Amino acid sequence: MAGPAERSRWEREQARLKAGVVEQDTEKWQKDPSFAGLERVGGVDLSYVKGDDTRACASLVVLSYPALEVLYEDCRMVTVTAPYVAGFLAFREVPFLVEAVQRLQQEQPRLRPQVLLVDGNGLLHHRGFGVACHLGVLTDLPCIGVAKNLLQVDGLVRDELHREQIRSLQRSGDTFPLTGSSGRVLGMALRSYSNSCKPLYVSVGHRVSLDTAVRLVGSCCRYRIPEPIRQADIRSREYIRKQLCAPLGVRPASPESSKKEAELEDQSDA
C-alpha cells in the first residue's frame, strides 16, 4: 500500500506532467474528415497473471489504418512493483508501456504509431490526468483514453438518468457528453457497435480533441472494443498462456476464440 508520502509525491508528479497536456488536434490527419494521412494506430494493454498482481504482460500493437491489420506486436513479461491506488494507476503500469514505445522507436521507427488508444481514462480522472494523459505526455504521442466503465468523478454517477442516456444511444456512432458538476465536458459516451448497448467512455489523452478522439475510436471498432486495444489484450493474454505452458494463467484468448467471445458479449449486451 502506498503511504502518504508516496501519494503526495505522485500527486505532485501528476500536476507537473498535467501542465504538458495538449487538448487540441496537432496533426494534419486529425483535421481531415476521413483521417487522410493516418496509416498506423497503436493499442496498449497490461494483462495480469491470474492470482498474481505482480506478474503481467505489457503489450503494444500497431495496426494499419483503415484496414486494421496488425503490423507490429511487442509482448513482454514484467514485474509490477508499485501498489494499486485509485487515481494513480499510471504509476503502476505506464513505465512498461513507455518502454514498449521506446523499443519500437529503436527497432522499427517506421512503424511508430501516429496515435495510441489506451484502455483507461484521460482527462476523465480524479485530477484530470489519467493513464492516457500520462502516457501521451511521456511519449509525446497523440493518445486517447477508452474506458469500458464510467469513472464516477466530478458528479458523474451511474444513476437512472445515466442509464436513460445510455438507452438513448440507438445506433453505432451515437454519443452523449459526460458533463461534470463543474460544467466541464470530461469525455463522451459512445455506442461503438450496433450489437452492443454498453457504451465506451472516450476521453482526451494528449494532442487530440474530443471530437476527433470519438470519431477515431468509432472508426476502429469491429466489435464493442476498438481493434487496437482488443488486439493488444488478445495478444497479451495469449503470451501469458504460452509463458506459463499451462491452463493456470488467464484463459486462452486466440484471435478466433476472442472473436467468438466478442460476439457473445455483444449478444448478451443487447
Side-chain angles (χ1 to χ4, degrees):
M1 187 68 182
E6 188 166 31
R7 290 174 65 111
S8 178
R9 180 176 63 82
W10 284 350
E11 284 190 17
R12 290 195 302 272
E13 181 70 359
Q14 281 184 334
R16 183 183 70 82
L17 293 173
K18 183 181 176 182
V21 172
V22 176
E23 301 179 32
Q24 293 84 35
D25 293 329
T26 61
E27 307 303 298
K28 187 176 179 180
W29 61 263
Q30 294 168 329
K31 298 162 186 175
D32 186 280
S34 61
F35 296 129
L38 177 61
E39 299 176 347
R40 298 173 307 282
V41 179
V44 292
D45 180 71
L46 217 73
S47 292
Y48 289 84
V49 173
K50 188 176 181 180
D52 187 343
D53 64 358
T54 64
R55 295 177 67 205
C57 175
S59 172
L60 164 66
V61 299
V62 180
L63 276 60
S64 63
Y65 188 89
L68 301 178
E69 296 174 347
V70 176
L71 303 174
Y72 172 93
E73 83 173 83
D74 177 3
C75 294
R76 300 286 176 101
M77 295 301 296
V78 299
T79 301
V80 181
T81 56
Y84 171 74
V85 180
F88 298 99
L89 179 65
F91 292 96
R92 181 171 165 84
E93 299 187 349
V94 161
F96 305 110
L97 304 178
V98 170
E99 288 175 4
V101 172
Q102 290 172 339
R103 279 195 299 272
L104 169 57
Q105 179 63 34
Q106 292 165 2
E107 296 168 8
Q108 298 197 53
R110 289 199 292 183
L111 292 181
R112 180 180 171 88
Q114 293 162 275
V115 60
L116 278 176
L117 303 191
V118 182
D119 182 7
N121 293 293
L123 297 180
L124 178 57
H125 178 264
H126 303 83
R127 285 168 298 284
F129 193 76
V131 172
C133 296
H134 206 124
L135 183 60
V137 171
L138 290 183
T139 61
D140 198 31
L141 285 172
C143 274
I144 298 170
V146 185
K148 295 183 284 291
N149 300 297
L150 176 67
L151 184 62
Q152 301 190 37
V153 296
D154 193 16
L156 295 174
V157 291
R158 285 191 62 89
D159 57 8
E160 182 54 35
L161 173 60
H162 185 76
R163 288 188 285 272
E164 186 178 321
Q165 289 177 306
I166 290 174
R167 288 192 290 271
S168 75
L169 305 177
Q170 295 294 310
R171 297 177 299 277
S172 61
D174 284 356
T175 62
F176 65 83
L178 302 168
T179 306
S181 300
S182 63
R184 186 175 186 195
V185 176
L186 302 176
M188 199 77 74
L190 165 70
R191 181 162 181 163
S192 58
Y193 183 51
S194 58
N195 288 359
S196 174
C197 59
K198 289 183 179 179
L200 296 175
Y201 297 96
V202 180
S203 56
V204 169
H206 182 52
R207 293 178 57 189
V208 64
S209 68
L210 182 57
D211 176 66
T212 296
V214 170
R215 288 195 301 116
L216 180 60
V217 169
S219 74
C220 288
C221 289
R222 290 175 173 166
Y223 303 101
R224 180 190 173 215
I225 306 302
E227 204 64 12
I229 293 175
R230 198 174 82 89
Q231 288 297 329
D233 176 67
I234 289 171
R235 289 157 196 271
S236 61
R237 289 169 180 266
E238 181 67 8
Y239 190 82
I240 289 176
R241 187 187 70 80
K242 289 179 178 177
Q243 290 295 307
L244 297 180
C245 298
L248 297 176
V250 298
R251 55 195 162 91
S254 65
E256 292 77 14
S257 67
S258 289
K259 179 179 179 181
K260 292 176 183 176
E261 288 172 12
E263 290 169 345
L264 288 172
E265 177 199 352
D266 291 324
Q267 289 167 10
S268 67
D269 288 340

